[in-house]
């Protein structure tokens, strides 16, 4: 996903920051990567320049990915509630440069459901499940859809809290769930700071061993 955005951002049509020239490219990218429901460009003022879906241009100046790229980051991402989809979404953003000069931002939005389908459906026994959080602790995927819709922050989850205190090191630990039952969990992060956690009630997890 990042590679195609970076490739498109180098095309003369995109570098032009001209809506008429950009839109055909954006539509081609979306057609080849259909999980991206929105492929778009943003000007240095935060205003949408072009998009693949022919909808009205939108002001994205409040979005963190816009601020990050404007500040010099080569890649930014943000989980949020999409202004277009109205659903939880993941947005990836990369700079558009003309030579060494930043002229705009190339971005794509995809619904988190596409990611969640691979993670939130994982089960182990009756009580084992998986969830995914982003680098700030906000839920990306969880079997409880309300957690995703609310972008619930799970930094206070005992398993995640212990993981962060240990410096993001891969961790296995026993902890108490919200209902006071003992559970066993495993958590590790990827190189982007997102953390994948698995948990299961201890009684079930160790039933055969006991």
């Amino acid at each position: 996903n990042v590679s195609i955005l970076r490739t498109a951002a180098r095309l003369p049509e995109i570098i032009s920051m001209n809506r008429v020239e950009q839109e055909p490219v954006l539509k081609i990218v979306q057609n080849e990567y259909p999980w991206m429901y929105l492929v778009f460009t943003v000007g240095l003022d935060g205003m949408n320049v072009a998009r693949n879906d022919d909808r009205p241009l939108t002001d994205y100046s409040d979005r963190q990915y816009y601020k990050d790229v404007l500040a010099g980051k080569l890649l930014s991402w943000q989980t949020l509630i999409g202004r277009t989809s109205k659903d939880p979404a993941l947005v990836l953003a990369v700079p558009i440069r003309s030579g060494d000069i930043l002229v705009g931002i190339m971005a794509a939005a995809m619904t988190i459901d596409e990611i969640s389908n691979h993670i939130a459906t994982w089960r182990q026994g009756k009580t084992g499940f998986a969830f995914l959080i982003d680098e700030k602790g906000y839920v990306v995927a969880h079997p409880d859809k309300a957690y995703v819709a609310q972008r619930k922050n799970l930094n206070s989850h005992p398993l995640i809290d212990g993981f962060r205190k240990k410096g993001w090191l891969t961790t296995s630990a026993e902890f108490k769930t919200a209902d006071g039952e003992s559970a066993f969990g495993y958590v590790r992060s990827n190189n982007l700071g997102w953390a994948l956690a698995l948990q299961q009630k201890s009684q079930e997890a160790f039933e055969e061993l006991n």
Side-chain angles (χ1 to χ4, degrees):
N1 294 326
V2 173
S3 295
I4 189 59
L5 289 182
R6 285 178 169 159
T7 300
R10 296 188 183 102
L11 296 175
E13 294 88 346
I14 298 297
I15 294 172
S16 73
M17 294 306 291
N18 180 286
R19 181 179 183 179
V20 175
E21 292 187 36
Q22 287 184 341
E23 284 190 346
V25 176
L26 302 181
K27 289 179 179 181
I28 289 171
V29 172
Q30 194 280 326
N31 188 60
E32 292 297 319
Y33 295 80
W35 53 87
M36 296 180 181
Y37 67 84
L38 176 62
V39 184
F40 61 108
T41 58
V42 180
L44 298 181
D45 60 355
M47 191 65 192
N48 190 190
V49 174
R51 50 197 295 138
N52 69 282
D53 61 3
D54 298 319
R55 292 193 181 190
L57 299 178
T58 304
D59 185 353
Y60 291 111
S61 60
D62 64 328
R63 295 307 204 190
Q64 189 59 47
Y65 59 82
Y66 157 75
K67 297 175 183 178
D68 287 346
V69 175
L70 204 65
K73 281 194 174 183
L74 300 180
L75 169 64
S76 181
W77 61 89
Q78 185 179 3
T79 54
L80 42 75
I81 302 298
R83 290 212 173 100
T84 300
S85 68
K86 307 301 181 185
D87 292 322
L90 167 67
V91 179
L92 300 175
V94 300
I96 302 171
R97 296 185 179 276
S98 178
D100 294 329
I101 300 173
L102 179 69
V103 295
I105 296 159
M106 176 89 187
M110 56 203 81
T111 58
I112 287 176
D113 283 345
E114 295 294 336
I115 300 170
S116 185
N117 286 341
H118 295 283
I119 295 166
T121 56
W122 182 86
R123 292 287 187 277
Q124 180 69 30
K126 295 180 180 179
T127 64
F129 64 91
F131 62 90
L132 179 69
I133 59 171
D134 68 15
E135 75 285 359
K136 294 182 175 65
Y138 291 103
V139 169
V140 175
H142 197 284
D144 186 337
K145 291 184 178 180
Y147 279 30
V148 180
Q150 298 165 8
R151 295 195 66 239
K152 188 175 180 67
N153 191 291
L154 291 182
N155 279 333
S156 61
H157 186 292
L159 186 59
I160 301 302
D161 182 53
F163 173 66
R164 293 184 181 282
K165 287 178 179 177
K166 290 181 179 179
W168 294 84
L169 297 174
T170 299
T171 301
S172 295
E174 194 162 18
F175 62 94
K176 293 291 185 182
T177 64
D179 57 11
E181 292 197 61
S182 177
F184 194 80
Y186 174 84
V187 58
R188 66 178 298 172
S189 65
N190 64 9
N191 59 0
L192 300 179
W194 289 24
L196 177 66
L198 312 178
Q199 72 174 68
Q200 186 177 19
K201 289 185 177 179
S202 298
Q203 183 178 0
E204 183 181 41
F206 298 109
E207 184 176 8
E208 290 187 17
L209 180 62
N210 290 336

